Amino acid sequence: MIVIMLGAPGTGKGTIAEILSKKLEIPQVSTGDIFRKNISEKTELGKLAESYISNGKLVPDDVTVKLVEDRLEKDDAINGVILDGFPRTVAQAEALDEILKKTNKKVDVTINLTTPEEEIIERVVNRRICSKCKKIYNLVLNPPKENGICDNCGAKLEARADDNEETIKSRLKTYFEQTSPLVDYYNKKGNLYSATVSQSINKMGPDVANDIITYLEEEK
Ligand code: AMP
């Protein structure tokens, strides 16, 4: 099954993708995580990606599409993947369709997440990620038991370099200009599932993940 996680930064794509990945037993493929790994390992790809990521801009389509194409060829992706943060432009979505066609696959479901903008900014500035197992925390909504330490593996928690108020504004602008047209793109294909993740309606990532699982089971 090919699942796409669509939504502005801070809507909970990563949290929900992690839950779905465990439940559906297919890997979570986060282009953002792959770029951050390359940045920390100081690879050529990392150097290139950092110049865009630090400004809240998108890494060029050709680079990103090649990376995903290579990842989809790995053995563990044979039964499908949860694409977390890809595609982010219509050109990427079209390229993905072509890649999947080669193995008679298609996008099965696109999860479109929305969150009020003021909540997004608060969530992003309070987001912390485990430096080792990459578990996601929020200092207000989902804090670790021990300050700065991952409950899962005991490693140190860190903030992402691009999770600051200035960069998030630019990332949101990029989302509305370049990524949001994908809502229409997948809606027209008839595979869009939309959900709101928000404190104001008391529906956070894990609740929405449960709704998605119920929906997928009913669709079977
Ligand atoms: P994320 O972890 O998904 O929030 O991604 C962090 C950053 O990585 C984004 O703000 C972009 O700069 C870059 N990035 C991640 N996925 C993509 C993509 N599909 N296309 C281009 N840039 C991406």
Side-chain angles (χ1 to χ4, degrees):
M1 175 180 259
I2 305 289
V3 182
I4 290 177
M5 302 302 305
L6 195 61
T11 49
K13 296 188 295 294
T15 303
I16 295 174
E18 194 189 324
I19 299 170
L20 294 182
S21 165
K22 283 191 187 125
K23 177 78 190 169
L24 302 173
E25 296 178 340
I26 50 176
Q28 170 186 5
V29 172
S30 156
T31 38
D33 280 351
I34 299 173
F35 289 136
R36 280 185 288 279
K37 187 165 186 286
N38 277 273
I39 292 171
S40 70
E41 290 170 357
K42 299 191 167 44
T43 66
E44 284 307 311
L45 171 64
K47 281 181 210 156
L48 174 90
E50 191 168 26
S51 61
Y52 294 94
I53 294 178
S54 58
N55 291 309
K57 303 261 187 285
L58 294 182
V59 179
D61 286 340
D62 54 341
V63 176
T64 311
V65 166
K66 176 79 179 58
L67 185 121
V68 172
E69 186 167 19
D70 291 348
R71 180 66 187 83
L72 290 177
E73 282 171 6
K74 298 249 162 78
D75 288 348
D76 68 339
I78 192 123
N79 292 325
V81 286
I82 318 262
L83 290 170
D84 165 12
F86 180 92
R88 260 176 153 103
T89 63
V90 171
Q92 290 181 12
E94 288 169 348
L96 176 65
D97 287 342
E98 290 306 311
I99 293 167
L100 294 174
K101 227 186 253 173
K102 289 185 204 160
T103 51
N104 288 322
K105 288 184 180 146
K106 61 171 176 49
V107 173
D108 294 289
V109 60
T110 304
I111 312 289
N112 172 40
L113 303 176
T114 50
T115 296
E117 204 166 312
E118 60 282 5
E119 280 188 48
I120 287 187
I121 296 180
E122 210 194 312
R123 280 163 57 173
V124 163
V125 297
N126 285 308
R127 173 158 58 188
R128 294 293 180 274
I129 299 178
C130 173
S131 53
K132 197 168 158 208
C133 75
K134 307 295 167 202
K135 188 173 163 58
I136 305 167
Y137 294 85
N138 182 290
L139 296 183
V140 181
L141 302 168
N142 174 32
K145 289 194 186 82
E146 194 182 335
N147 198 9
I149 302 291
C150 178
D151 297 346
N152 236 6
C153 70
K156 228 175 82 189
L157 301 185
E158 333 182 291
R160 276 170 46 170
D162 60 346
D163 274 352
N164 58 70
E165 214 162 314
E166 200 184 309
T167 314
I168 186 60
K169 286 191 178 141
S170 160
R171 286 160 63 199
L172 280 172
K173 187 165 175 281
T174 301
Y175 170 79
F176 287 112
E177 285 174 3
Q178 292 180 265
T179 308
S180 66
L182 290 180
V183 175
D184 204 38
Y185 182 91
Y186 287 112
N187 196 20
K188 283 195 179 124
K189 286 187 184 283
N191 63 18
L192 197 75
Y193 175 97
S194 291
T196 303
V197 180
S198 170
Q199 266 173 285
S200 65
I201 55 165
N202 206 13
K203 259 218 163 151
M204 301 309 287
D207 310 308
V208 172
N210 283 335
D211 293 347
I212 296 168
I213 290 162
T214 308
Y215 165 79
L216 293 177
E217 277 165 0
E218 282 169 358
E219 285 286 290
K220 258 189 207 161

